[in-house]
Amino acid sequence: MTTLEETIAAIRPADPAAVAEARAHQDRLTKPRGALGALEDVAVRLAGAAAVSPPPLPAPAALAIFAADHGVHARGVSPWPREVTLQMVGNFLAGGAVANAFAVQAGVSVTVVDVGVAADLDPAPGLTISKVAYGTADLSAGPAMTPEQAVAALEAGIAAARDLVEGGARCLITGDMGIANTTASAALICAFTGHDAAVVTGRGTGVDDETLARKVEVVREALRANGLEHGRDSASEMSALRTLAAVGGLEHAAIAGFVLAGAALRVPVILDGVIAGAAALAAAALAPDVVDHCVAGHRSAEPGHAVALDHLGLRPLVELELRLGEGTGGLLAHPIVCAAVRVMHEVATFDSAGVTDKET
């Protein structure tokens, strides 16, 4: 078996016994039933994913920022120059990005993984070089990646997750960096959900109306060029891989692998924004049970992100109109996820506290 096949084979759905016990335990805690709303659902979800109730505390956590460039940038879909991807990798490594500030606040480690930056990077602390290619091809003219490149990027994400979990991480957070990657995200979301490009394509880093219109048309061209204008045949794993290779980015593939590995290792994965949502669609197409191991950290301002989350059946924990990426929304959500699980471990039950439960 390949690393990808081995990882997919290890993924199991939520454990029904653990889910039932977690739900029953929530109802025994000294609070009105259901009083913690969505937090109760998070704790129950993590119990099912871990196959034990209460679930392990999802700490320490590790953020992996997967960085790559995109050939579609040449179509004028972003006002930012391509070299910003490389420059931001340097900023992450120097600790100067928003993701770094949020990670310090949350006590989360930061690792940057180069899977497709269009330049050579020097080795540095906190950097993993797993370069598959120097960016993708232009997805509007044909496949962005070969299937072999997509598999290599998936397996780079798997390796990153395994390394972080072996190093002690008990929760994984997705991050990304890649100028023009919201264009590839929109194409992936269209392909996996069947929605029109105008519905899911957003302004990304803040493009004007003219650029947005161009971006929508480029996404439509990509779907036509790759035979995906009517959605993807979801019946086969190979179809999912070809779809990912056709219109995804190297960082999308790596994040999909990262999510798959977290599920295989029964370590929860907090998804960030639209890039993570698009990657999670690919991961779920490869292994549907992977969704049971994911938590939607937030819902970004990108319209495609809401479409992706709805398709995955995930409810976001935070909605602050973020559209930065990097893992910022996932980092903000991590303390909330920890709080949800800590309730299961530390709050007394009616019996243990000697508190009278309401009459049923």
Side-chain angles (χ1 to χ4, degrees):
M1 297 175 71
T2 66
T3 298
L4 177 59
E5 290 168 339
E6 175 187 274
T7 301
I8 291 173
I11 296 172
R12 298 289 180 270
D15 182 81
V19 167
E21 171 52 31
R23 185 65 68 192
H25 185 73
Q26 285 282 356
D27 289 346
R28 293 194 298 269
L29 298 179
T30 48
K31 59 176 180 58
R33 288 171 177 79
L36 293 180
L39 291 186
E40 297 189 16
D41 296 332
V42 170
V44 171
R45 170 175 285 272
L46 266 62
V52 63
S53 179
L57 286 170
L63 167 68
I65 301 174
F66 294 94
D69 280 302
H70 296 259
V72 74
H73 179 270
R75 294 296 309 278
V77 294
S78 173
W80 296 86
R82 193 180 194 184
E83 56 265 28
V84 170
T85 301
L86 175 64
Q87 293 165 354
M88 281 302 299
V89 167
N91 195 25
F92 294 134
L93 296 174
V98 175
N100 298 106
F102 285 1
V104 170
Q105 176 67 28
V108 175
S109 67
V110 178
T111 300
V112 180
V113 184
D114 169 18
V115 285
V117 178
D120 290 314
L121 282 74
D122 294 326
L127 173 65
T128 300
I129 299 176
S130 302
K131 196 187 298 289
V132 175
Y134 291 87
T136 55
D138 179 2
L139 56 84
S140 70
M145 297 176 276
T146 66
E148 292 77 16
Q149 288 175 326
V151 169
L154 280 157
E155 293 188 343
I158 291 169
R162 288 178 174 178
D163 287 346
L164 290 171
V165 172
E166 287 175 5
R170 294 298 173 262
C171 181
L172 301 174
I173 304 173
T174 69
D176 67 273
M177 182 62 224
I179 298 301
N181 64 7
T182 58
T183 301
S185 296
L188 281 171
I189 293 167
C190 288
F192 282 114
T193 70
H195 281 71
D196 182 72
V199 174
V200 306
T201 307
R203 296 182 183 272
T205 51
V207 302
D208 58 20
D209 290 345
E210 180 183 351
T211 306
L212 177 61
R214 182 187 309 119
K215 189 174 175 182
V216 170
E217 184 53 36
V218 166
V219 171
R220 287 178 175 150
E221 289 178 24
L223 298 171
R224 288 194 296 268
N226 290 284
L228 296 169
E229 62 266 48
H230 301 298
R232 183 189 62 84
D233 175 9
S234 61
S236 72
E237 177 182 306
M238 184 54 67
S239 178
L241 179 61
R242 286 177 175 160
T243 299
L244 175 61
V247 294
L250 289 156
E251 76 271 47
H252 291 97
I255 292 170
F258 190 72
V259 173
L260 289 168
L265 296 166
R266 288 196 177 273
V267 172
V269 181
I270 301 179
L271 302 175
D272 191 41
V274 68
I275 285 78
L281 288 173
L286 289 163
D289 291 331
V290 76
V291 179
D292 290 347
H293 302 266
C294 295
V295 174
H298 80 123
R299 177 163 52 212
S300 80
E302 285 289 293
H305 193 209
V307 171
L309 293 180
D310 286 346
H311 192 82
L312 293 165
L314 294 175
R315 176 179 179 176
L317 292 180
V318 176
E319 188 166 2
L320 297 171
E321 300 178 7
L322 304 178
R323 53 180 178 86
L324 179 58
E326 303 181 3
T328 48
L331 289 164
L332 288 174
H334 179 251
I336 298 174
V337 177
C338 288
V341 175
R342 192 170 292 280
V343 165
M344 297 281 283
H345 286 267
E346 298 183 9
V347 173
T349 64
F350 284 102
D351 287 343
S352 68
V355 175
T356 301
D357 196 356
K358 72 172 184 177
E359 294 181 2
T360 56

